[in-house]
Amino acid sequence: MTQYILALDQGTTSSRAIVFDRAGAVVARAQKEFTQHFPQPGWVEHDAAEIWSTQSGVMQEALSSAGLRAADLAAIGITNQRETVVVWNRLSGQPIGRAIVWQDRRTAGLCDELRAAGKADLIKQKTGLELDAYFSGTKVRWLLDHVPGARAQAEAGELCFGTVDSWLVYKLTGGLHVTDASNASRTLLYDIHAGGWDDGLLTLLDVPRSMLPEVRSSSEVYGQTSKGLLGAQVPIGGIAGDQQAATFGQACLDVGMAKNTYGTGCFMLLNTGAQAVDSAHRLLTTVAWQLAGQRTYALEGGVFVAGAVVQWLRDGLGLIRHSSEVEALATSVPDSGGVVLVPAFVGLGAPYWDPYARGTVVGLTRGTTGAHIARAALESVAFQSAELLEAMQQDTARGGTQVHELRVDGGGAGNDAMMQFQADILGVPVVRPKITETTALGAAYLAGLAVGFWQDQDELKALWQVDRRFEPGMGRDEAQGRLQTWKRAVERSRDWAKPG
């Protein structure tokens, strides 16, 4: 009997493969970084062929490390960096150029043009997304407009467009062209209410329908790996974008459950069930996953700079030599000494969406030390996350949804001081699970459900276990006062780099 699921976790800076057993525990893992290309300021690119070579390499390495063969696998699940765009020739399988990464800003001008033409509300109404260069649709348009011959090839039906999940499935299977609803919902081309590619949006962005992958559920058998790839054919049974997969891996399967991933940035998702909640606070409405044809929706908010502020303390200010030292430095003082740090190094995400905001430190005195700045840096992550949850609570209050705890994962979730402060500011418990590989675990769960490796969502809920629970210890008046001070500091960072 096959006893394992292989999850492929294709991220922004590395490709990973993790083998899970029936308890959801990690049996083996392998990881390999790949090249980041920055051809011009604001441009970020990946070599799609290198993405495939690193992903296929770690897939083999993880199996070898676990002493397993392909025949020991029940299924493969895929999770991926979202919004990154690959366009390739349908017959040769060769990309027409480098992949344009989600961080890339080259299409900001096109977004400004569409906004000036009054298209932002239409796009938000259909897709649940802000009109921003972050998403995939304008990147596809750019490739068709700037790669010689690309548009003619696309109109002749010779090109495939896909997010990274589609590219991996194509390579794994030798030609299958599919995606899932969670990834489709990040493209600016998919109507999240109708559940399909939208002809009006395709016309608006001038993207031929023939390029698009078939949209499938997040958990079903799409096909099998090619015969010569692993030594035995393995079903591919799960696909979800990384943040949606992490939400599934955290077993946030009921309405009102929320998770926050603390990485370079933060991504918070709140399960809103069958209702696509329209945010009044510029949060994103997205497909969390689709199972058996039924879509589950989520509200999502992003913090652009979270773990990156710790890297800045290390590399920019030299306050610490290693990121792991930040907790000790920050807790060497009882509080931030009145210092508030707004890490708007690349602007602000939700609920502000201010690309002209810049990093700001206020409240400095002669008594301020590096420890105070370090503490303010950690607190900034918690404050930004608290604003997201506050917005989510307000957006869903009319429907009676209440968040009773926040499940956390990612590297920053291991920082006890920051997690305690997060609970204090939120006023709800912050809960860290024993298995923190939640992104890959979510992909594994989706694949396992598709082949009967796990029977149902109740079984998955039972597998989720608490490592530590952080209870709020700060009075609500004090917490609200601290949050209001934070918002005053944010206002001082707003529009700083705006021309004129």
Side-chain angles (χ1 to χ4, degrees), residues 393-408:
Q393 297 268 44
Q394 291 171 1
D395 279 338
T396 58
R398 282 179 298 173
T401 300
Q402 282 191 313
V403 177
H404 298 292
E405 66 180 25
L406 180 67
R407 295 187 173 184
V408 297

Side-chain angles (χ1 to χ4, degrees), residues 307 310-312 314-315 320-328 378 415:
V310 177
Q311 295 169 340
W312 175 71
R314 180 192 66 196
D315 303 333
I320 52 177
R321 288 177 299 172
H322 303 287
S323 296
S324 57
E325 297 171 1
V326 69
E327 185 171 6
L378 292 188
N415 187 312

Side-chain angles (χ1 to χ4, degrees), residues 188-189 197-209 212:
L188 293 178
L189 304 171
W197 301 119
D198 184 86
D199 287 324
L201 296 173
L202 291 171
T203 300
L204 182 63
L205 289 172
D206 205 7
V207 175
R209 180 179 270 273
L212 303 178

Side-chain angles (χ1 to χ4, degrees), residues 85-416:
V85 165
V86 185
V87 176
W88 66 95
N89 185 282
R90 189 179 300 278
L91 293 179
S92 72
Q94 294 299 309
I96 66 168
R98 287 184 186 147
I100 301 181
V101 180
W102 60 272
Q103 298 160 317
D104 189 284
R105 304 300 300 173
R106 77 185 66 180
T107 60
L110 174 56
C111 291
D112 288 342
E113 291 173 20
L114 291 168
R115 194 174 293 105
K119 303 300 183 183
D121 286 345
L122 170 71
I123 288 171
K124 181 73 185 286
Q125 180 184 349
K126 289 186 175 184
T127 69
L129 306 176
E130 292 285 325
L131 176 52
D132 192 84
Y134 173 28
F135 303 106
S136 309
T138 58
K139 303 182 197 305
V140 187
R141 163 80 172 269
W142 190 95
L143 285 168
L144 294 180
D145 287 345
H146 291 84
V147 175
R151 184 163 292 284
Q153 286 180 283
E155 289 171 352
E158 297 171 6
L159 298 184
C160 294
F161 148 69
T163 42
V164 172
D165 58 302
S166 295
W167 171 240
L168 292 180
V169 171
Y170 181 91
K171 298 297 284 185
L172 285 164
T173 61
L176 188 62
H177 190 207
V178 300
T179 189
D180 91 299
S182 74
N183 278 294
S185 75
R186 312 296 293 191
T187 62
L188 293 178
L189 304 171
Y190 179 84
D191 187 325
I192 62 171
H193 310 287
W197 301 119
D198 184 86
D199 287 324
L201 296 173
L202 291 171
T203 300
L204 182 63
L205 289 172
D206 205 7
V207 175
R209 180 179 270 273
S210 63
M211 297 179 69
L212 303 178
E214 180 186 356
V215 182
R216 307 271 285 271
S217 286
S218 307
S219 177
E220 65 173 90
V221 176
Y222 314 101
Q224 294 188 319
T225 56
S226 299
K227 286 184 179 179
L229 188 63
L230 291 170
Q233 290 186 286
V234 182
I236 301 170
I239 301 173
D242 54 9
Q243 298 309 321
Q244 290 99 323
T247 309
F248 203 84
Q250 281 276 35
C252 292
L253 305 176
D254 298 322
V255 174
M257 298 185 74
K259 73 90 193 175
N260 199 22
T261 299
Y262 297 80
T264 301
C266 279
F267 289 92
M268 185 182 293
L269 272 75
L270 170 67
N271 185 329
T272 63
Q275 183 183 10
V277 174
D278 184 28
S279 174
H281 300 86
R282 303 188 72 187
L283 300 172
L284 306 178
T285 307
T286 198
V287 176
W289 47 79
Q290 181 173 308
L291 302 178
Q294 297 296 310
R295 287 182 298 281
T296 293
Y297 296 94
L299 281 174
E300 177 178 328
V303 170
F304 292 160
V305 175
V309 76
V310 177
Q311 295 169 340
W312 175 71
L313 295 177
R314 180 192 66 196
D315 303 333
L317 297 188
L319 292 180
I320 52 177
R321 288 177 299 172
H322 303 287
S323 296
S324 57
E325 297 171 1
V326 69
E327 185 171 6
L329 179 62
T331 55
S332 68
V333 289
D335 53 49
S336 68
V339 175
V340 181
L341 190 161
V342 182
F345 304 143
V346 291
L348 290 169
Y352 301 101
W353 292 98
D354 183 352
Y356 302 111
R358 288 297 178 266
T360 305
V361 185
V362 297
L364 296 173
T365 68
R366 284 287 300 273
T368 299
T369 67
H372 293 112
I373 293 172
R375 184 148 187 143
L378 292 188
E379 290 181 353
S380 75
V381 178
F383 282 131
Q384 291 176 97
S385 298
E387 284 206 86
L388 295 181
L389 191 64
E390 182 180 62
M392 288 177 178
Q393 297 268 44
Q394 291 171 1
D395 279 338
T396 58
R398 282 179 298 173
T401 300
Q402 282 191 313
V403 177
H404 298 292
E405 66 180 25
L406 180 67
R407 295 187 173 184
V408 297
D409 54 71
N415 187 312
D416 290 350

